[in-house]
Amino acid sequence: SENRRTESEKAVAALREKGILVATIPEGGAAYIMAKVNIVIVGAEIITAQGGIVSRLGTYQLAKLAKMDRKPFYVAAEQHKLGQTFPTTQFNYGVPPASAQNGAAGAGADGLTADEKRAVYVQSVSPLDFTPPDLITNFICDHGVKSTVAMEHQVIDMFVS
């Protein structure tokens, strides 16, 4: 989508201003170029309770490709995106529910957590997928680099205590 392209172009421009070499690769070329990649860094909409992420459709695919080619896969995300969400399959987030498609995105159906309501809204703009923690090397957060286990413990500390 246009919004996604603009967001990506801003990120690339900011990195290049810092002197970081950045190449943009079409989504269909990810497997082709992965052998030449040093590190994969993605963002996230939600950091899940088990230390995975819910992010734009295609993130899970990139994580699997990185794992196959033994490339580090980092997630850059603010810690306010920690959530109680505990997805069990890709299909929890892959396709927007009918309520989002009918313009009721973000209105929230009965029984949805705040994280799930945010996911429904984001899905209405861009479909999401779930990347499990075993595909994530580490998180780059507000307070440094953290492991998936550290993020899981942080979620537990935030919501259980």
Side-chain angles (χ1 to χ4, degrees), residues 1-23:
S1 76
E2 185 64 35
N3 186 34
R4 187 174 180 179
R5 188 175 311 122
T6 303
E7 186 178 318
S8 296
E9 288 169 358
K10 286 180 184 176
V12 168
L15 290 168
R16 287 180 176 157
E17 283 178 21
K18 302 275 186 204
I20 298 170
L21 296 175
V22 178

Side-chain angles (χ1 to χ4, degrees), residues 129-145:
D129 63 21
F130 167 63
T131 302
D134 63 311
L135 296 178
I136 299 169
T137 305
N138 280 317
F139 287 86
I140 303 168
C141 301
D142 313 53
H143 304 296
V145 177

Side-chain angles (χ1 to χ4, degrees), residues 15-86:
L15 290 168
R16 287 180 176 157
E17 283 178 21
K18 302 275 186 204
I20 298 170
L21 296 175
V22 178
T24 57
I25 309 299
E27 291 171 358
Y32 172 79
I33 201 68
M34 192 61 71
K36 294 185 179 249
V37 168
N38 295 321
I39 185 172
V40 177
I41 302 174
V42 300
E45 299 300 329
I46 298 170
I47 301 169
T48 67
Q50 73 267 48
I53 60 168
V54 174
S55 194
R56 289 188 176 142
L57 190 64
T59 305
Y60 175 58
Q61 172 179 273
L62 284 175
K64 289 183 90 169
L65 290 169
K67 183 83 160 190
M68 279 180 53
D69 284 351
R70 293 187 288 280
K71 304 297 180 173
F73 186 87
Y74 281 77
V75 177
E78 305 91 335
Q79 287 179 265
H80 75 267
K81 292 185 175 182
L82 288 166
Q84 292 176 285
T85 303
F86 199 97

Side-chain angles (χ1 to χ4, degrees), residues 88-140:
T88 55
T89 72
Q90 288 303 319
F91 304 105
N92 290 116
Y93 294 104
V95 177
S99 61
Q101 294 170 354
N102 294 332
D110 289 344
L112 292 181
T113 67
D115 296 326
E116 290 165 338
K117 289 177 189 175
R118 181 172 47 173
V120 167
Y121 170 73
V122 172
Q123 283 175 300
S124 68
V125 178
S126 176
L128 301 173
D129 63 21
F130 167 63
T131 302
D134 63 311
L135 296 178
I136 299 169
T137 305
N138 280 317
F139 287 86
I140 303 168

